[in-house]
Amino acid sequence: MPTFTSNDAQINYQTFGNAANPALIFSNSLGTNYGMWQKQFTHFIDDYFVICYDTRGHGASSAPQGPYTLQQLGQDVVNLLNHLNIQKAAFCGISMGGLTGQWLAINKPERFSHVIVCNTAAKIGQEHAWNERAALVREQGLAPIASTAASRWFTDKFIQSNTAEVEKLQNSLAAGSAEGYASCCEALAKADLRELLKEITVPVLVIAGQQDPVTTVADGQFMVEHIPNSQMLEINASHISNIEQPEQFNHLLQSFLS
């Protein structure tokens, strides 16, 4: 797997398809890795130069001592584009990756043609709750978080009919870096872009899960009410909608990008 150095982190990434095609970069959710986008990169590989990476502290990327900041998470993406000599890309991020996408749209608009933010919010959760989770993970590891992740990520129906896939994701979370996860929790604790959304000029698509208990349809509506050039589409899924409803998810992305 190729890696590159972004400030204090080694970032693991993978590319798919022809580098002459328009670039499309995917950003993972908290506690997952770039493999969560499998059904997206196989779909988009013919028309796009697809770039996936593991957010710092996740997957095969390194987990330098935290806390991290949203600015660091965003700058890692810019540094990856620079490393690949890509001037402009479309960006798609989910949950934590969606917050990264909003930061990029606000701070680095010249680098992005389109930004898709999925199952996310301009502020996710409460600061004290994220800090408590970070402390818990540093103390007890990721096993307790992994054991309850499925109920936050997917609908009961999906869990019951896709047990192997759900188990694989939970096992991957449990085997991850506690320090990396906790440090990203601390980034989410501080991240609040609500007052800055009005500055976004890049075309934005918000995808909201109708059954998402973490980042709700109301969170999506708040974003489109405050981002000038934006639209929202709903998907009948819980929090990780790209895995729960891949065909519908890919269709929404394809329509927006074209």
Side-chain angles (χ1 to χ4, degrees):
M1 293 292 175
T3 63
F4 81 103
T5 303
S6 178
N7 297 318
D8 58 342
Q10 284 293 117
I11 303 295
N12 178 60
Y13 70 94
Q14 191 61 268
T15 62
F16 306 87
N18 186 342
N21 284 335
L24 170 59
I25 185 163
F26 288 97
S27 182
N28 59 283
S29 62
L30 181 68
T32 62
N33 57 53
Y34 83 72
M36 74 174 299
W37 298 108
Q38 179 76 44
K39 287 173 180 166
Q40 280 68 53
F41 46 71
T42 52
H43 179 85
F44 288 99
I45 192 169
D46 293 336
D47 298 317
Y48 292 88
F49 182 53
V50 179
I51 306 156
C52 298
Y53 73 101
D54 291 332
T55 298
R56 60 170 56 219
H58 288 66
S61 290
S62 67
Q65 188 75 34
Y68 307 155
T69 65
L70 183 58
Q71 181 177 350
Q72 280 179 302
L73 303 186
Q75 193 60 47
D76 288 340
V77 177
V78 176
N79 293 346
L80 175 54
L81 293 179
N82 291 343
H83 174 72
L84 295 170
N85 294 312
I86 292 168
Q87 288 309 306
K88 203 160 204 163
F91 178 95
C92 177
I94 192 163
S95 192
M96 175 177 68
L99 206 43
T100 302
Q102 293 168 69
W103 186 92
L104 291 166
I106 292 161
N107 293 281
K108 302 289 178 180
E110 70 282 358
R111 303 302 296 270
F112 298 94
S113 60
H114 304 73
V115 171
I116 301 113
V117 298
C118 318
N119 301 86
T120 192
K123 176 173 175 54
I124 302 175
Q126 298 303 315
E127 183 172 355
H128 67 89
W130 285 119
N131 288 330
E132 284 169 9
R133 190 188 293 194
L136 173 77
V137 165
R138 285 200 176 98
E139 190 182 309
Q140 298 182 18
L142 283 164
I145 295 289
S147 67
T148 60
S151 62
R152 293 189 296 277
W153 285 350
F154 302 113
T155 60
D156 288 344
K157 183 181 174 186
F158 182 85
I159 293 167
Q160 286 157 15
S161 54
N162 297 271
T163 48
E165 187 168 12
V166 171
E167 207 169 275
K168 184 181 170 188
L169 284 160
Q170 285 184 298
N171 290 342
S172 172
L173 170 53
S177 163
E179 177 58 34
Y181 185 100
S183 296
C184 282
C185 286
E186 289 163 336
L188 292 171
K190 296 284 187 204
D192 185 353
L193 300 177
R194 289 174 293 186
E195 294 298 316
L196 299 172
L197 296 179
K198 61 183 181 293
E199 298 176 14
I200 293 176
T201 55
V202 183
V204 172
L205 172 64
V206 176
I207 295 178
Q210 291 168 340
Q211 301 186 63
D212 186 345
V214 182
T215 51
T216 62
V217 171
D219 288 318
Q221 286 166 336
F222 179 90
M223 287 186 284
V224 293
E225 283 164 11
H226 293 82
I227 300 171
N229 189 11
S230 64
Q231 58 179 295
M232 185 176 87
L233 297 169
E234 295 179 28
I235 197 164
N236 185 18
S238 185
H239 191 56
I240 303 192
S241 61
N242 70 302
I243 291 177
E244 186 156 349
Q245 295 282 5
E247 289 80 13
Q248 191 186 356
F249 187 94
N250 292 345
H251 174 71
L252 297 182
L253 254 67
Q254 188 98 45
S255 301
F256 178 66
L257 291 170
S258 59

